[in-house]
Amino acid sequence: MIKDFDHVVLTTANLEKCLDFYVRVIGMRVERFTSAGKERIALRFGDRKFNVHPPGFDAGLKADKPTPGSLDFCFLADRPIGDVIAHLRACGVQIIAGPDKRQGARFALRSVYMRDPDGNLVEISEPYE
């Protein structure tokens, strides 16, 4: 029944800090669009995106208890994990764990962990053999 993954909704307490982190640190790009007559904001990477719900945004159809800081997700890096670590340090981001070996959905991973401005756990990984 399920073929692929399209998007996730990221609830934030501070839109500016959220956009800065995901654009400057993670490398996403901001996309503004209109859906159901409302102006929306998304963070796009490749052919996937995070729709962003800032404070006061009424999405209508949404999770029962959308809460900033409740996500825990993993990105696959487009470069070696050592380069990721150097970039995170240059951006002043605290790495809270790693690099550690983990098992991903498709293969073994070597990962580093940090928190975004809302406290979500962000994992960045490379395939590990």
Side-chain angles (χ1 to χ4, degrees), residues 5-92:
F5 175 78
D6 186 76
H7 72 278
V8 70
V9 174
L10 179 65
T11 301
T12 183
N14 186 309
L15 181 60
E16 293 75 26
K17 286 182 180 180
C18 175
L19 295 180
D20 175 67
F21 178 83
Y22 285 99
V23 170
R24 182 177 56 84
V25 176
I26 302 298
M28 294 180 171
R29 65 187 186 282
V30 175
E31 173 183 271
R32 296 180 187 275
F33 64 102
T34 301
S35 178
K38 295 182 181 186
E39 184 174 327
R40 307 285 303 268
I41 299 170
L43 290 158
R44 185 166 285 281
F45 56 106
D47 60 355
R48 308 291 192 270
K49 69 178 181 173
F50 285 0
N51 288 336
V52 181
H53 289 182
F57 181 78
D58 182 11
L61 190 58
K62 61 184 179 224
D64 187 41
K65 296 177 182 77
T67 308
S70 63
L71 293 177
D72 175 344
F73 50 86
C74 176
F75 292 117
L76 294 176
D78 65 355
R79 63 198 70 179
I81 203 72
D83 293 350
V84 169
I85 292 167
H87 173 73
L88 294 173
R89 288 183 177 147
C91 289

Side-chain angles (χ1 to χ4, degrees), residues 70-126:
S70 63
L71 293 177
D72 175 344
F73 50 86
C74 176
F75 292 117
L76 294 176
D78 65 355
R79 63 198 70 179
I81 203 72
D83 293 350
V84 169
I85 292 167
H87 173 73
L88 294 173
R89 288 183 177 147
C91 289
V93 174
Q94 179 185 6
I95 296 170
I96 61 173
D100 295 324
K101 296 178 194 173
R102 302 285 187 207
Q103 182 58 48
R106 296 175 287 167
F107 38 74
L109 303 171
R110 194 162 64 140
S111 304
V112 292
Y113 296 82
M114 73 222 64
R115 297 214 180 265
D116 75 4
D118 287 299
N120 294 303
L121 184 63
V122 179
E123 177 182 354
I124 301 179
S125 303
E126 69 178 356

